[in-house]
Coordinates of all heavy atoms in Angstrom, one line a residue:
D158 N 11.8 22.0 9.3 CA 12.6 21.4 8.2 C 11.8 20.7 7.2 O 12.2 20.6 6.0 CB 13.7 20.5 8.8 CG 14.7 21.2 9.6 OD1 14.8 22.5 9.5 OD2 15.5 20.6 10.4
L159 N 10.6 20.2 7.6 CA 9.7 19.5 6.7 C 8.8 20.4 5.9 O 8.1 20.0 5.0 CB 8.8 18.5 7.5 CG 9.5 17.2 8.0 CD1 8.6 16.5 9.0 CD2 9.9 16.3 6.8
G160 N 8.9 21.7 6.2 CA 8.2 22.7 5.5 C 6.9 23.1 6.1 O 6.1 23.9 5.6
H161 N 6.6 22.6 7.3 CA 5.4 22.9 8.0 C 5.5 24.3 8.7 O 6.6 24.8 9.0 CB 5.0 21.8 9.0 CG 4.9 20.5 8.4 ND1 4.1 20.2 7.3 CD2 5.5 19.3 8.7 CE1 4.2 19.0 6.9 NE2 5.0 18.3 7.8
T162 N 4.3 24.8 9.0 CA 4.2 26.1 9.8 C 4.0 25.8 11.3 O 3.2 24.9 11.6 CB 3.1 27.0 9.3 OG1 3.3 27.3 7.9 CG2 2.9 28.2 10.1
V163 N 4.8 26.5 12.1 CA 4.6 26.2 13.6 C 4.3 27.6 14.2 O 5.1 28.5 14.2 CB 5.9 25.6 14.2 CG1 5.7 25.4 15.7 CG2 6.2 24.3 13.5
D164 N 3.1 27.7 14.8 CA 2.7 28.8 15.6 C 3.0 28.5 17.1 O 3.0 27.3 17.5 CB 1.3 29.2 15.5 CG 0.9 29.7 14.1 OD1 1.7 30.4 13.5 OD2 -0.2 29.3 13.6
L165 N 3.2 29.5 17.9 CA 3.5 29.3 19.3 C 2.5 30.0 20.2 O 2.1 31.2 19.9 CB 5.0 29.8 19.6 CG 6.1 29.1 18.8 CD1 7.4 29.8 19.2 CD2 6.2 27.6 19.2
I166 N 2.1 29.4 21.2 CA 1.3 30.0 22.3 C 2.2 30.2 23.5 O 3.1 29.4 23.8 CB 0.1 29.1 22.7 CG1 -0.8 29.8 23.7 CG2 0.5 27.7 23.1 CD1 -2.1 29.0 24.0
D167 N 2.1 31.3 24.2 CA 2.9 31.6 25.3 C 2.7 30.7 26.5 O 1.5 30.5 26.9 CB 2.7 33.1 25.8 CG 3.2 34.1 24.8 OD1 4.1 33.8 24.0 OD2 2.6 35.2 24.8
P168 N 3.7 30.1 27.0 CA 3.6 29.2 28.2 C 3.2 30.0 29.4 O 3.8 31.2 29.6 CB 4.9 28.5 28.3 CG 5.9 29.5 27.7 CD 5.1 30.1 26.6
L169 N 2.4 29.5 30.3 CA 2.0 30.2 31.5 C 2.6 29.6 32.7 O 2.6 28.3 32.8 CB 0.5 30.3 31.6 CG -0.2 31.0 30.5 CD1 -1.8 30.9 30.7 CD2 0.2 32.4 30.3
P170 N 3.1 30.3 33.7 CA 3.7 29.7 34.9 C 2.6 29.0 35.7 O 1.4 29.4 35.6 CB 4.2 31.0 35.7 CG 3.5 32.1 35.1 CD 3.2 31.8 33.7
G171 N 3.0 27.9 36.3 CA 2.0 27.2 37.1 C 1.3 26.1 36.3 O 0.4 25.4 36.8
L172 N 1.5 26.0 35.0 CA 0.9 25.1 34.1 C 2.0 24.2 33.4 O 2.3 24.4 32.2 CB 0.0 25.8 33.1 CG -1.2 26.6 33.6 CD1 -1.9 27.3 32.5 CD2 -2.1 25.7 34.4
P173 N 2.5 23.3 34.2 CA 3.7 22.5 33.6 C 3.3 21.6 32.4 O 4.2 21.2 31.7 CB 4.1 21.7 34.8 CG 2.9 21.5 35.7 CD 2.2 22.9 35.5
D174 N 2.0 21.3 32.3 CA 1.6 20.4 31.2 C 1.1 21.2 30.0 O 0.6 20.6 29.0 CB 0.5 19.4 31.6 CG 1.0 18.3 32.4 OD1 2.2 18.0 32.4 OD2 0.2 17.6 33.1
M175 N 1.2 22.5 30.0 CA 0.8 23.3 28.8 C 1.5 23.0 27.6 O 1.1 23.3 26.5 CB 0.8 24.8 29.2 CG 0.0 25.7 28.2 SD -0.1 27.4 28.8 CE -0.8 28.1 27.4

Side-chain angles (χ1 to χ4, degrees):
D158 291 345
L159 286 168
H161 303 310
T162 299
V163 178
D164 293 322
L165 299 177
I166 183 173
D167 292 334
L169 299 178
L172 297 177
D174 282 343
M175 194 170 171

